[in-house]
């Protein structure tokens, strides 16, 4: 990612912090890094890089996640999200950047407030809720590489252990990002410097994920839900603030 030394340092720090969130929560990378990097780069240039990073992150943790994945949940979620993800990738190319940031920020904030209210589903999610969660996650992931909020709400509904929620979300994101990235390539929406940017960001993410995994092993079971809500709220405020500033300027 081109720019001054300070810009490169900011990018490296943002990717590292995003990796820590991803290693701890299973979903924090794009939610944290995309709005942070959108302060200096347009979303259309960031999203493909984040999708590529998430593919690598999913492969990095796949072996550890495998025993905890809820396959009966992951299958329908992934199928619905993969079907819808190409529409999100198509929107990425045509929707104005600040309008996209504002819409995503509102969605993320609504998810955070729902979870902060203490809401828990009375029973485990059924087929309709699963289809809606998977489809909306795929749409957001294709559009912004931030498909986490619907799945966070789904898995933090009160019926899944932290380790199972984390591993299952990670696997769904792996499938989503493979499809979304392939779609953007097919639509010629990937910037020419995609691979160099990915290569520069990857080491910072790998280091962050390793630290995040260590933190989850030590603190995850007790603090997983609280950390997820905090991450969602911070990201939402950053996105909404950035979009409002640009739209009102």
């Amino acid at each position: 990612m081109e720019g001054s030394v300070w810009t490169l340092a900011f990018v490296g720090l943002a990717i590292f912090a995003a990796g820590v969130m991803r290693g701890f929560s299973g979903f924090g990378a794009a939610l944290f890094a995309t709005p942070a990097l959108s302060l200096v780069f347009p979303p259309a240039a960031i999203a493909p890089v984040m999708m590529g990073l998430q593919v690598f992150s999913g492969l990095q943790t796949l072996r550890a996640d495998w025993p905890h994945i809820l396959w009966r949940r992951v299958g329908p979620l992934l199928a619905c999200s993969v079907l819808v993800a190409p529409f999100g990738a198509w929107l990425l190319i045509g929707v104005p950047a600040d309008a996209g940031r504002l819409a995503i920020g509102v969605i993320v904030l609504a998810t955070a407030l729902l979870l902060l209210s203490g809401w828990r589903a009375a029973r485990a999610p059924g087929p309709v809720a699963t289809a809606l969660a998977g489809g909306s996650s795929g749409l957001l992931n294709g559009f912004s590489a931030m498909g986490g909020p619907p799945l966070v709400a789904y898995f933090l509904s009160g019926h899944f252990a932290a380790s199972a929620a984390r591993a299952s979300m990670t696997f769904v994101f792996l499938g989503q990002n493979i499809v979304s990235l392939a779609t953007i390539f097919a639509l010629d929406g990937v910037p020419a410097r995609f691979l160099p940017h990915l290569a520069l960001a990857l080491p910072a993410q790998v280091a962050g994920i390793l630290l995040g995994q260590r933190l989850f092993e030590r603190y995850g079971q007790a603090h997983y839900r609280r950390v997820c809500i905090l991450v969602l709220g911070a990201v939402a405020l950053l996105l909404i603030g950035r979009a409002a500033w640009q739209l009102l300027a």
Side-chain angles (χ1 to χ4, degrees), residues 88-237:
W90 175 76
L91 286 174
L92 170 65
I93 298 173
V95 172
D98 290 313
R101 288 190 189 104
L102 183 60
I104 296 167
V106 171
I107 293 171
V108 175
L109 181 60
T111 303
L113 292 175
L114 177 67
L115 295 173
L116 185 62
S117 71
W119 168 83
R120 292 179 183 271
R123 56 184 180 180
V128 174
T130 300
L132 288 173
S136 56
S137 176
L139 185 69
L140 286 176
N141 192 76
F143 176 68
S144 63
M146 293 194 295
L151 293 186
V152 174
Y154 181 90
F155 281 110
L156 268 66
S157 63
H159 298 277
F160 307 103
S163 57
R166 176 174 170 269
S168 300
M169 282 192 287
T170 296
F171 191 81
V172 173
F173 294 145
L174 175 60
Q176 283 181 345
N177 284 291
I178 290 173
V179 173
S180 296
L181 195 56
T183 303
I184 294 176
F185 266 110
L187 295 173
D188 296 324
V190 177
R193 297 185 179 181
F194 163 76
L195 290 178
H197 289 180
L198 183 61
L200 286 172
L202 189 57
Q205 177 183 264
V206 170
I209 287 175
L210 291 174
L211 177 58
Q213 287 178 306
R214 295 282 184 88
L215 292 173
F216 179 80
E217 291 169 2
R218 186 167 183 176
Y219 303 109
Q221 296 301 325
H223 302 289
Y224 184 75
R225 182 183 177 92
R226 189 178 307 165
V227 170
C228 288
I229 295 172
L230 179 62
V231 172
L232 288 174
V235 167
L237 294 177

